Amino acid sequence: MGGPDLDRPVRDGFNGPVLLERDELLLGLRHLAVEAESSHGRLVFVAGEAGVGKTTLVNAVAAEVADRPMTVRRGGCDDLTTPAALGPVLEALPELDDALEEHVSVGRLSLFRRVRDLLAAGPTLLVLDDVHWADEATLDLLRYLGRRIDGLPLLVVATYRSEEVGSGHPLAATLGRLTSSPVVVRLQVPPLSAAAVRELAARAGSALDADELFRTTGGNAFYVTEVLASRRERLPATVRDAVLGRVARLSADARTVLGAAAVLGQP
């Protein structure tokens, strides 16, 4: 399983989502959605550390697009030992189940053409979450679409955790092969600033020291909102479990170094 949803919405008063310091990113994605409606398709990679708010950002765009003549399709990748072939694509396009069963006989390119034609039947936003966990076939499909999406009424938005994509990661190879494509866009979601953390603390009516909260969390939206939601200085269980889940995926040597760093502290 993928573990805690570190990119769930930042909460305003913990009753609904709020976006801070994301206006430029939102504007850019809105513009790309409008262009896609006019058959100027784009493939967008949205990167950022776990919990920074990638999903919150994409959710906001998807909600706006739903009010336009545009279909929203969505699929997500999971942290599985052996991911299912085209798992997130089938989640977004369940009508492709039969085609996937014929995959061996029809060939991968033929299947990809079916996916492309289905998505391009009308203005469509396809969101693929957490593609750092994507299977080989899904990454191949992204490369295929990245070279053929121009001229289609299609906007594909793929999110991934930048800290999990090293030089030897399969997604890094995919991004490298699409570097020269003019229809591929890469966006980086940054942590919140100290000012944004202070605003969230004020909205929550928290008595915690907002500047200390920023230093402790590094402006990570998930960590900030979970600490504020707990209304205690003690580390919330949700944050502890999220961090331990990420540590568990590291090598033994990396965990040893991390343990030493934790003892040393920030100074």
Side-chain angles (χ1 to χ4, degrees), residues 155-225:
L155 176 62
V156 178
V157 178
T159 71
Y160 71 94
R161 295 180 182 178
S162 49
E163 76 275 17
E164 298 203 19
V165 181
S167 59
H169 195 284
L171 179 56
T174 297
L175 293 169
R177 290 170 185 168
L178 291 172
T179 299
S180 61
S181 176
V183 297
V184 176
V185 179
R186 296 176 66 170
L187 301 177
Q188 181 76 30
V189 182
L192 298 173
S193 69
V197 172
R198 285 194 292 270
E199 182 173 346
L200 283 175
R203 288 171 183 244
S206 174
L208 296 176
D209 184 328
D211 291 331
E212 179 61 25
L213 178 60
F214 170 73
R215 286 191 293 271
T216 303
T217 62
N220 182 288
F222 172 75
Y223 298 152
V224 170
T225 54

Side-chain angles (χ1 to χ4, degrees), residues 48-73:
E49 67 179 29
V52 78
K54 301 181 295 296
T55 299
T56 303
L57 174 70
V58 175
N59 284 347
V61 174
E64 293 185 10
V65 163
D67 294 329
R68 302 178 65 86
M70 200 171 203
T71 301
V72 179
R73 304 270 197 161

Side-chain angles (χ1 to χ4, degrees), residues 74-154:
R74 189 158 201 161
C77 305
D78 293 300
D79 186 14
L80 303 175
T81 303
T82 306
L86 293 174
V89 180
L90 288 177
E91 184 179 352
L93 305 168
E95 57 267 50
L96 279 174
D97 273 332
D98 293 339
L100 187 61
E101 292 179 2
E102 303 169 5
H103 180 190
V104 175
S105 59
V106 303
R108 183 167 290 189
L109 285 179
S110 178
L111 178 62
F112 287 175
R113 283 193 288 269
R114 293 191 192 185
V115 173
R116 178 197 62 192
D117 293 344
L118 181 58
L119 290 171
T124 300
L125 167 63
L126 172 64
V127 178
L128 299 178
D129 288 308
D130 296 325
V131 294
H132 52 280
W133 289 325
D135 62 284
E136 177 188 336
T138 298
L139 294 179
D140 282 348
L141 175 63
L142 288 174
R143 286 197 292 268
Y144 176 87
L145 291 176
R147 299 187 185 282
R148 294 167 177 84
I149 200 169
D150 193 19
L152 301 179
L154 175 61

Side-chain angles (χ1 to χ4, degrees), residues 8-47:
R8 67 177 185 242
V10 176
R11 290 170 291 184
D12 176 7
F14 317 112
N15 294 316
V18 61
L19 287 172
L20 296 177
E21 302 181 331
R22 302 294 185 249
D23 289 350
E24 186 175 346
L25 292 170
L26 275 171
L27 184 61
L29 286 170
R30 288 171 186 150
H31 177 70
L32 292 174
V34 171
E35 285 196 332
E37 289 179 3
S38 301
S39 295
H40 297 291
R42 294 291 184 272
L43 169 58
V44 184
F45 289 98
V46 179

Side-chain angles (χ1 to χ4, degrees), residues 251-264:
S251 67
D253 288 343
R255 289 197 297 271
T256 298
V257 173
L258 189 59
V263 172
L264 291 171

